[in-house]
Amino acid sequence: AKAMGRGNYQFYSEEMNARTLDRLTLESGLRHAVERGELQLKYQPQIDLADGAILGAEALLRWQPAGQQLVMPDAFITIAEETGLIVPIGEWVLRTACAQQVAWRQAGLPDLRIAVNLSARQFRQPGLDAMVARVLADTGCAADRLELEITESVLMERPDSAAETLQRLSDMGVQLAIDDFGTGYSSLSYLKRFPINALKIDRSFVRDIAAKRAASNDDGAIAAAVIALAHSMGLTVVAEGVETEQQRDFLRQLHCDQAQGFYFSEPMSAAALEHLFIQGAAS
Ligand code: C2E
Ligand code: CA
Ligand code: CA
Ligand code: CA
């Protein structure tokens, strides 16, 4: 809609914020985002493909600067990473997500697993394991209810120190997942050296295998092989970005364990997720 009069300013200023939020504006805003309480988490349910039960949720970060439009992570995570702001922001995410896990449990929900994304910078931060241990102790979240998600590229950079970091987290009982699998360069067998629990198949891969199923069996065969190999390594397989019933059915046929995606649910507020369970229990 076209704004008029004094609304004009508002219109163009919003437009600018949406499109051209320049680096400096983002950076200085982000610097105060935690203390100003402008960060929030959405939670996307993770579904058991066998029976449709919600097993857990992935915490996804949003930034709501006062009087401005909601900023999605793709617009600010890189800057947070480059400036190092991801370290305090990431700690806030972890603390908030773990506290939420406990709050859900106390509200009578099942003991959900909470998945939290770790960026490369956070992963390399000295004392990561101590920080995680502190947050778990402070919030009362059980270590095995927390799953940390890292991408393959983070592991590939410095595999030896990555393996040590993962081992320390694993020794604490924290669950570890490889995020965006299929977009990187590594093979499953390469991942054998890391103490990981789960593999999250990237949504581009999910889209491809389901779309090409009718035309050729090759992609389906590759997906089936990946899932079977992951299972033989004791990994849980989670499909990301499941948007259609067809994709869900196909993944089920391939014995994929869990799924996440708009077909089941978009990322939602903690209260909305809680509501899902209350509704479910009542019906
Ligand atoms: P990701 O970890 O791969 O998270 C999944 C993204 O896919 C989320 O986008 C989610 O909303 C979206 N998604 C879920 N289901 C579907 C679907 O069915 N179709 C489509 N098209 N998309 C779907 P979001 O929330 O915008 O997050 C983008 C990325 O930002 C995340 O990708 C993650 O890499 C990063 N991120 C988000 N929160 C955090 C955080 O707390 N810390 C760090 N370091 N990174 C984060
Ligand atoms: Ca993720
Ligand atoms: Ca992902
Ligand atoms: Ca991603």
Side-chain angles (χ1 to χ4, degrees):
K2 257 218 176 82
M4 300 201 295
R6 78 191 162 99
N8 241 335
Y9 171 74
Q10 187 74 28
F11 179 82
Y12 287 113
S13 117
E14 268 174 26
E15 182 113 319
M16 284 215 4
N17 280 321
R19 304 241 173 96
T20 60
L21 262 176
D22 62 282
R23 219 196 132 84
L24 271 174
T25 313
L26 272 174
E27 199 180 312
S28 61
L30 207 47
R31 228 165 255 290
H32 303 286
V34 173
E35 68 204 45
R36 288 180 184 156
E38 295 175 346
L39 298 179
Q40 44 178 269
L41 294 181
K42 297 283 186 205
Y43 299 90
Q44 187 176 38
Q46 297 181 319
I47 309 294
D48 186 341
L49 274 171
D51 62 7
I54 300 177
L55 298 175
E58 177 177 4
L60 293 161
L61 184 58
R62 303 287 181 263
W63 176 25
Q64 176 66 78
Q68 292 177 48
Q69 289 178 358
L70 191 72
V71 190
M72 299 296 281
D74 285 338
F76 68 89
I77 290 286
T78 306
I79 292 176
E81 180 86 10
E82 287 167 6
T83 54
L85 286 167
I86 194 69
V87 174
I89 289 173
E91 180 165 347
W92 178 88
V93 170
L94 185 69
R95 189 170 290 277
T96 305
C98 288
Q100 189 59 59
Q101 196 282 338
V102 174
W104 279 328
R105 178 160 47 82
Q106 287 171 346
L109 268 59
D111 206 2
L112 299 173
R113 177 188 64 205
I114 189 83
V116 173
N117 292 285
L118 271 196
S119 76
R121 179 87 170 238
Q122 278 178 283
F123 188 72
R124 287 196 301 262
Q125 185 75 9
L128 169 71
D129 51 336
M131 186 275 281
V132 173
R134 198 166 58 236
V135 168
L136 290 173
D138 289 350
T139 58
C141 181
D144 70 350
R145 298 289 85 199
L146 171 65
E147 184 164 272
L148 296 176
E149 299 189 357
I150 39 181
T151 60
E152 304 161 66
S153 53
V154 173
L155 302 185
M156 308 263 303
E157 241 168 68
R158 280 195 254 144
D160 292 334
S161 78
E164 284 170 24
T165 302
L166 290 179
Q167 193 58 56
R168 283 196 298 273
L169 291 165
S170 177
D171 288 346
M172 287 163 51
V174 171
Q175 303 289 295
L176 299 163
I178 300 298
D179 204 355
D180 303 344
F181 185 78
T183 58
Y185 338 82
S186 68
S187 63
L188 252 180
S189 53
Y190 177 85
L191 293 175
K192 264 185 198 157
R193 57 190 295 188
F194 302 107
I196 53 176
N197 309 91
L199 202 64
K200 297 191 74 177
I201 299 182
D202 190 69
R203 77 163 175 269
S204 57
F205 201 58
V206 167
R207 194 178 50 217
D208 289 351
I209 54 176
K212 290 180 190 157
R213 174 169 64 132
S216 108
N217 285 329
D218 290 356
D219 294 281
I222 292 169
V226 165
I227 292 169
L229 186 55
H231 283 160
S232 79
M233 290 165 62
L235 301 176
T236 298
V237 183
V238 185
E240 296 192 282
V242 177
E243 294 181 351
T244 68
E245 188 177 13
Q246 187 204 9
Q247 289 170 347
R248 184 207 57 186
D249 292 346
F250 187 48
L251 289 159
R252 234 190 219 157
Q253 281 171 35
L254 297 180
H255 305 292
C256 181
D257 305 288
Q258 297 168 24
Q260 204 182 323
F262 297 162
Y263 174 73
F264 304 101
S265 168
E266 291 195 10
M268 57 174 82
S269 70
L273 193 141
E274 190 171 329
H275 201 70
L276 266 188
F277 279 94
I278 295 164
Q279 273 180 323
S283 65

